[in-house]
Amino acid sequence: MKKAILFMLISTASFSIMNAIIKYLDHIPGFQLVFFRSLTSCVFATTYLLSRNINLLGNQRKLLVLRAITGLVSMSLFFFSFKYLNVGTAVSLRYIAPIFAALFAVLFLKEKIKPVQWLFFLIAFLGVLMLKGFDESMSTLGLALVILASLFTGMVYILIRKIGKGDHPVVVVNYFMFLATLIGGALSSFSWIQPQEWDWLLLGSLGVFGYVGQVYMTKAFQAAPTHIVAPIKYAEVIFTIGIGVFWFGDTYTLLSFLGLFMIIAGLMGNTLVKKT
């Protein structure tokens, strides 16, 4: 149990650092960030698959491509939102993805949602409204971008469930990273900004922190039950808000914090109830 918690904390810390670096590199065009974020992870994933003689193309290729496309759109929109929002706010709002995933599950997978889950979703949604309503400095465009990113992340969750165990998890990740590298590289060529000095190191580290975060998150879920491990994932919000305050000088009102708390509390409640 302690090992699973440690794994998840390493994962959330890695993702938090990656998010902070993306925010720091907001002078770099979004698709260029997508390219560098994906390139290193793609190299790691491809090397892993080849070393174990796992078929790179997988079995459910249409679903794998669709998952890669939705993941690419989600990641791109999320990165773009960093130019308009505090890093902690962007990360918190992206966590409303389970609400969209639940709605898609009802529509496409014919799953049922417990009545209490709707209550937790309502609490999280009211938190979003409070966050926007009491933070006049919040960019409407940034809010729209991150909510759209969450919607596409919800689609990703459903597609991963459709893929199920029919393909190796690293194959799923590799499709995503390969497509993101390809399209991110192509689109960034139209607005490429030559990285300077430390920018190269930071850009190269994006994929490393992203890969470490993904690996240790997987290890955490393998080491303990989901209902115990999943809530710890929300520590990413705390880590990222802390980094934002001390590194970028982000500021939050008391009511903004209340909105953030409602979002996380609602989604954590849903996670715990869903697993009972």
Side-chain angles (χ1 to χ4, degrees):
M1 190 71 67
K2 291 182 179 179
K3 184 178 291 187
I5 293 174
L6 176 61
F7 287 160
M8 185 55 82
L9 288 176
I10 292 174
S11 171
T12 55
S14 296
F15 282 129
S16 299
I17 294 172
M18 184 190 74
N19 292 332
I21 292 172
I22 292 169
K23 178 67 176 180
Y24 179 78
L25 293 172
D26 63 1
H27 58 284
I28 302 292
F31 283 117
Q32 198 169 334
L33 293 173
V34 168
F35 170 71
F36 280 102
R37 159 65 181 92
S38 307
L39 178 61
T40 309
S41 293
C42 183
V43 171
F44 286 149
T46 301
T47 302
Y48 175 90
L49 294 172
L50 291 175
S51 67
R52 286 162 176 75
N53 294 317
I54 299 173
N55 183 8
L56 294 175
L57 297 179
N59 303 313
Q60 306 169 87
R61 296 171 189 176
K62 290 182 180 179
L63 283 175
L64 289 168
V65 170
L66 188 57
R67 181 265 181 265
I69 292 172
T70 53
L72 171 60
V73 173
S74 174
M75 181 169 64
S76 300
L77 292 171
F78 182 54
F79 286 4
F80 293 157
S81 73
F82 276 40
K83 297 183 182 298
Y84 306 99
L85 299 174
N86 288 344
V87 62
T89 301
V91 170
S92 301
L93 289 172
R94 197 188 191 192
Y95 271 106
I96 66 174
I99 298 179
F100 294 115
L103 294 175
F104 291 142
V106 171
L107 292 174
F108 301 116
L109 302 180
K110 307 304 179 185
E111 293 185 0
K112 293 183 179 181
I113 296 179
K114 299 176 182 178
V116 70
Q117 286 182 263
W118 290 113
L119 173 61
F120 286 126
F121 287 154
L122 177 62
I123 291 172
F125 181 69
L126 290 175
V128 174
L129 295 181
M130 177 172 287
L131 191 63
K132 174 57 180 171
F134 290 99
D135 188 351
E136 296 179 357
S137 65
M138 179 181 288
S139 164
T140 300
L141 175 58
L143 179 63
L145 287 171
V146 77
I147 288 179
L148 280 174
S150 300
L151 186 148
F152 278 96
T153 299
M155 292 183 186
V156 168
Y157 293 162
I158 298 301
L159 288 167
I160 290 175
R161 286 164 67 180
K162 288 285 288 184
I163 293 169
K165 296 182 180 179
D167 278 290
H168 194 285
V170 180
V171 172
V172 180
V173 172
N174 197 46
Y175 259 81
F176 174 28
M177 292 295 99
F178 176 77
L179 184 70
T181 301
L182 191 65
I183 295 181
L187 294 178
S188 65
S189 64
F190 294 103
S191 57
W192 184 273
I193 290 180
Q194 187 66 16
Q196 302 296 319
E197 300 176 350
W198 285 99
D199 287 352
W200 284 108
L201 178 61
L202 293 175
L203 286 168
S205 71
L206 289 177
V208 176
F209 283 114
Y211 187 78
V212 170
Q214 192 69 48
V215 168
Y216 276 92
M217 182 174 68
T218 302
K219 287 187 175 185
F221 280 114
Q222 290 174 336
T226 301
H227 71 277
I228 293 176
V229 176
I232 302 172
K233 183 78 172 73
Y234 294 104
E236 181 181 349
V237 176
I238 300 173
F239 290 153
T240 307
I241 288 176
I243 292 173
V245 170
F246 289 105
W247 189 357
F248 301 107
D250 293 344
T251 57
Y252 297 88
T253 65
L254 182 61
L255 290 174
S256 294
F257 271 122
L258 179 58
L260 293 173
F261 174 78
M262 289 174 66
I263 293 170
I264 302 306
L267 295 175
M268 284 185 65
N270 169 68
T271 299
L272 294 172
V273 167
K274 188 177 180 181
K275 301 304 177 184
T276 58

